[in-house]
Amino acid sequence: MSKTSFQIDNTDGPRVTRAWVLHPEIRSDPDRRAPQPALEEAVALARALPQLEVVGAEVVPLRKVDAGKLFGKGKIADLHDALEAAEVELVLVDGSVSPVQQRNLEKAWGVKLLDRTGLILEIFSDRAATREGVLQVEMAALNYQRTRLVRAWTHLERQRGGLGFVGGPGETQIEADRRAIDEQLVRLRRQLDKVVKTRALHRAARAKVPYPIVALVGYTNAGKSTLFNRLTGADVMVKDMLFATLDPTMRSLALPDGPEIILSDTVGFISDLPTELVAAFRATLEEVLAADIILHVRDISHAETEEQAHDVREILTSLGVAKETRTFEVWNKLDLLPPETAEALRQRAERDPDMIAISAITGAGLDRLQTAVAEALQGAVRVAEISLAFSEGRKRAWLFEQDVVEKETPSETGFDLVVRWSARQEAQFQGL
């Protein structure tokens, strides 16, 4: 494989690529985000890849979007000079860039260009650890890249550590590129079908666990893994970095004066999540969809905490999380706020049973969090009487596997049982 200036050369350690981040502020867009926090998040995304060195970043105000080049001629010329002076090799545009705009800007600046979707896909390809996660991220990346075809695809046999966005051996014919992508997609779908069957077996095994599931969700870098470690004593990687945790982690936790639960740490969400990546969340989100309780962890110290919370709620809704699932808002990172502000938020949260103010670092508020979860779970468990025929032995066996049977009495036609179960277990029983 021929080398380019964008590839990572591992002969003397990882090669660092000099990157420049641009956030286009489209003033005609009524739903645009505040430019400075958006730029800071884009820079944080770039820094989540260790092989990138961010040497510059700026907000680019736009009255309107140029269909062919995104930016106007004058701005393109100014940026060309700045990029050349800083010896930039990769430009990251925090937004959507069309294939035509990408090709024109790369030609004008003489650098490689990635938009927001491409960058997030690259981060996921670098971090995915489970077999299913790797396959789904690769498929998402191939579907995304298929419309662009701005690089050669003879390197598609590569599995992890980068999907070729930052590197590539050079240009090839578009027809050959598209054929190579389609062939690789077919191979990946076959491999994914096998993994999905294995995942279904794991899900069936999890359904037999009699413990309630409590899932942590939230915007990336909200402190979910820190909270998870604090509660369970686990050692999930914690770092001030976007998407530090990708693969789901589950641990048992005995609540004080409450039941034993399974606590699930999940991948963080982000605004403008690429639709190509929704499938890559499947392994994590199955735990959320099956959860008895959801803990929505928020970085309450962040300037855009309300916008982040809105993005999380939208993603959960789009993924089909039931509205009736009990959800607590966990306001994390009180320790980063001034004492007066933190105390005001704590008092406000105490007036709402569905809001809990905490600091996962100091442990403040964790007692109330665990008590609230325990009370919610105990309230969700109810006693019911059911009758089973002799022919329904499979259902009877399932009830005993779930350890929900409190009393069983033989009858003329089968068995009369008294069970204590959660709404989730009752729904699973009805589906047998």
Side-chain angles (χ1 to χ4, degrees):
M1 183 186 295
S2 62
K3 294 196 174 184
T4 76
S5 60
F6 302 112
Q7 283 187 304
I8 299 173
D9 186 350
N10 292 316
T11 55
D12 297 314
R15 184 188 183 282
V16 175
T17 298
R18 295 172 65 83
W20 194 284
V21 179
L22 300 174
H23 173 74
E25 183 193 8
I26 305 172
R27 302 205 168 150
S28 59
D29 181 4
D31 298 323
R32 67 183 184 277
R33 300 173 62 197
Q36 197 56 40
L39 179 64
E40 291 172 1
E41 181 179 275
V43 171
L45 276 173
R47 288 176 176 157
L49 283 174
Q51 62 265 44
L52 295 185
E53 177 190 3
V54 179
V55 297
E58 62 180 286
V59 174
V60 182
L62 293 175
R63 284 197 300 269
K64 63 178 182 177
V65 175
D66 186 292
K69 294 185 177 180
L70 184 61
F71 306 112
K73 292 182 180 179
K75 190 60 183 178
I76 290 176
D78 292 343
L79 285 170
H80 175 274
D81 295 340
L83 298 175
E84 189 174 58
E87 299 180 348
V88 170
E89 303 162 278
L90 175 68
V91 171
L92 303 169
V93 178
D94 183 36
S96 178
V97 179
S98 71
V100 171
Q101 292 169 340
Q102 180 179 352
R103 293 189 186 98
N104 289 337
L105 289 174
E106 287 185 336
K107 183 177 179 180
W109 291 335
V111 299
K112 182 70 180 78
L113 185 142
L114 284 180
D115 65 2
R116 183 181 177 88
T117 297
L119 176 59
I120 295 175
L121 285 169
E122 184 72 12
I123 294 171
F124 271 62
S125 72
D126 188 63
R127 302 275 176 77
T130 62
R131 180 60 178 157
E132 183 182 18
V134 171
L135 290 173
Q136 289 186 344
V137 172
E138 286 186 352
M139 288 184 64
L142 291 173
N143 282 315
Y144 163 78
Q145 197 71 3
R146 192 179 187 278
T147 61
R148 297 172 183 268
L149 298 175
V150 293
R151 309 204 64 76
W153 282 90
T154 57
H155 62 295
L156 288 179
E157 69 279 1
R158 293 171 55 186
Q159 293 299 315
R160 285 195 61 201
L163 293 169
F165 296 160
V166 184
E171 300 291 338
T172 62
Q173 293 182 350
I174 289 179
E175 292 80 5
D177 290 344
R178 184 170 287 116
R179 184 167 57 251
I181 292 176
D182 290 341
E183 290 173 355
Q184 181 70 345
L185 281 170
V186 170
R187 286 194 293 271
L188 288 173
R189 286 192 185 100
R190 289 173 181 167
Q191 295 177 52
L192 188 58
D193 286 342
K194 295 179 181 177
V195 176
V196 167
K197 291 178 182 177
T198 303
R199 179 167 49 80
L201 295 175
H202 291 168
R203 185 169 65 251
R206 285 197 301 272
K208 297 179 181 179
V209 177
Y211 306 123
I213 295 176
V214 177
L216 300 174
V217 303
Y219 208 80
T220 183
N221 214 28
K224 296 180 303 301
S225 296
T226 302
L227 176 59
F228 183 84
N229 290 348
R230 181 92 186 196
L231 291 173
T232 66
D235 57 354
V236 174
M237 185 180 79
V238 174
K239 196 171 183 180
D240 185 14
M241 179 174 65
L242 301 189
F243 296 120
T245 306
L246 278 192
D247 292 296
T249 306
M250 305 182 77
R251 294 285 189 278
S252 62
L253 172 64
L255 295 174
D257 301 322
E260 186 168 356
I261 66 171
I262 298 295
L263 189 64
S264 175
D265 186 21
T266 65
V267 64
F269 298 153
I270 196 167
S271 64
D272 301 322
L273 179 70
T275 54
E276 295 90 346
L277 264 179
V278 172
F281 279 99
R282 188 176 299 161
T284 289
L285 292 173
E286 278 183 350
E287 312 307 335
V288 177
L289 293 172
D292 295 279
I293 289 180
I294 293 175
L295 300 182
H296 175 188
V297 183
R298 292 175 53 181
D299 177 359
I300 203 66
S301 70
H302 197 282
E304 292 197 312
T305 183
E306 291 296 338
E307 290 82 359
Q308 292 179 353
H310 175 74
D311 290 333
V312 170
R313 294 187 198 105
E314 281 201 333
I315 293 171
L316 288 175
T317 300
S318 68
L319 291 164
V321 174
K323 291 184 178 179
E324 58 268 19
T325 302
R326 183 66 187 275
T327 301
F328 290 95
E329 274 202 5
V330 182
W331 295 353
N332 190 27
K333 302 192 180 182
L334 285 181
D335 54 291
L336 298 183
L337 292 170
E340 303 81 10
T341 306
E343 181 59 28
L345 286 172
R346 190 179 293 109
Q347 292 181 8
R348 177 183 165 194
E350 287 179 354
R351 293 192 294 269
D352 190 326
D354 294 332
M355 293 181 180
I356 301 161
I358 70 161
S359 167
I361 291 291
T362 68
L366 295 191
D367 288 344
R368 180 175 177 239
L369 173 62
Q370 294 183 79
T371 299
V373 171
E375 290 176 351
L377 287 172
Q378 289 167 349
V381 175
R382 70 181 188 88
V383 176
E385 296 181 2
I386 57 176
S387 297
L388 296 177
F390 287 117
S391 60
E392 295 179 294
R394 179 165 169 261
K395 288 187 174 182
R396 178 174 175 269
W398 184 88
L399 290 171
F400 278 97
E401 287 174 352
Q402 293 286 309
D403 195 26
V404 298
V405 179
E406 293 200 336
K407 182 180 178 182
E408 180 184 55
T409 306
S411 67
E412 292 184 0
T413 58
F415 303 93
D416 294 326
L417 301 98
V418 177
V419 297
R420 180 183 294 272
W421 57 13
S422 68
R424 178 172 64 91
Q425 290 170 320
E426 182 179 3
Q428 289 173 341
F429 175 78
Q430 298 297 338
L432 293 178

